[in-house]
């Protein structure tokens, strides 16, 4: 008998070391939506060389065009998603003061807000799971969980984020964090 459904929305998923050779090797994924029908997440630590203005033909403010694009996942890599934070966002839909959106009009409104505390991260693609798929991966211990925070979402460590979080989780994760990228290097 399976337990009651537990949503992972607002959690970070970290590769537990079992995803070597896949897109998610050493990935840190923010779960933005999770219910019994499936889950939607964004990989936080896969920056690209592209900026929004390089890949999106739209009338956007220069500040938005200069934002770096992150590869949010292997699904629909031509789709834009963004995470937006500010001091107080009553409509936040991921965690407190963190909103996820897809609308270009809303993105333009964010650009026009001129808030000194605004943070923005743009993604091409996303990570998606069908109903029960993520739960199955969790049962196989493919992922470790960690609470999301604005600091971790907008952290500039990028490629080192996976290692940074594992190191902060405690000594029992240090061996995994300090291991070589490829075990054949050992």
């Amino acid at each position: 008998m399976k337990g009651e459904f537990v949503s992972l929305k607002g959690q970070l998923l970290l590769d537990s070391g079992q995803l070597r050779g896949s897109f998610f090797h050493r990935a840190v994924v923010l779960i933005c939506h999770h219910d019994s029908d499936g889950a939607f997440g964004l990989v936080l630590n896969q920056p690209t060389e592209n900026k929004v203005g390089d890949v999106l033909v739209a009338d956007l403010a220069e500040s938005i065009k200069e934002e770096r694009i992150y590869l949010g996942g292997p699904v629909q890599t031509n789709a834009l998603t963004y995470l937006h934070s500010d001091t107080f966002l009553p409509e936040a839909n991921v965690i407190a003061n963190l909103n996820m959106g897809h609308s270009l009009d809303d993105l333009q409104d964010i650009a026009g807000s001129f808030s000194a505390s605004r943070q923005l991260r743009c993604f091409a693609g996303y990570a998606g799971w069908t109903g029960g798929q993520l739960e199955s991966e969790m049962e196989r211990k493919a992922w470790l969980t960690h609470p999301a925070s604005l600091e971790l979402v907008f952290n500039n460590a990028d490629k080192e984020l996976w290692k940074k979080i594992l190191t902060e989780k405690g000594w029992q994760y240090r061996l995994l964090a300090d291991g070589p990228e490829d075990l054949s290097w050992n």
Side-chain angles (χ1 to χ4, degrees), residues 71-138:
L71 189 55
V75 181
Q76 291 186 0
T77 55
N78 60 342
L80 176 74
T81 301
Y82 56 87
L83 295 172
H84 164 241
S85 175
D86 214 330
T87 304
F88 179 67
L89 285 180
E91 76 278 5
N93 58 15
V94 179
I95 61 173
N97 297 322
L98 181 64
N99 196 48
M100 177 187 67
H102 307 280
S103 162
L104 288 178
D105 290 338
D106 290 345
L107 188 57
Q108 192 69 309
D109 289 346
I110 291 167
S113 70
F114 300 108
S115 170
S117 59
R118 173 185 66 94
Q119 296 182 88
L120 181 68
R121 184 159 284 185
C122 297
F123 300 86
Y126 64 90
W129 294 264
T130 59
Q133 184 181 5
L134 180 54
E135 293 79 5
S136 175
E137 291 178 14
M138 295 300 293

Side-chain angles (χ1 to χ4, degrees), residues 37-85:
D37 293 331
F40 178 99
L42 296 167
V43 177
L44 299 178
N45 60 333
Q46 291 295 327
T48 71
E49 297 299 318
N50 295 322
K51 296 187 177 180
V52 171
D54 297 335
V55 298
L56 193 62
V57 179
D59 185 25
L60 294 170
E62 283 303 313
S63 62
I64 299 296
K65 289 180 180 181
E66 290 301 310
E67 289 289 331
R68 178 171 307 284
I69 296 273
Y70 286 75
L71 189 55
V75 181
Q76 291 186 0
T77 55
N78 60 342
L80 176 74
T81 301
Y82 56 87
L83 295 172
H84 164 241
S85 175

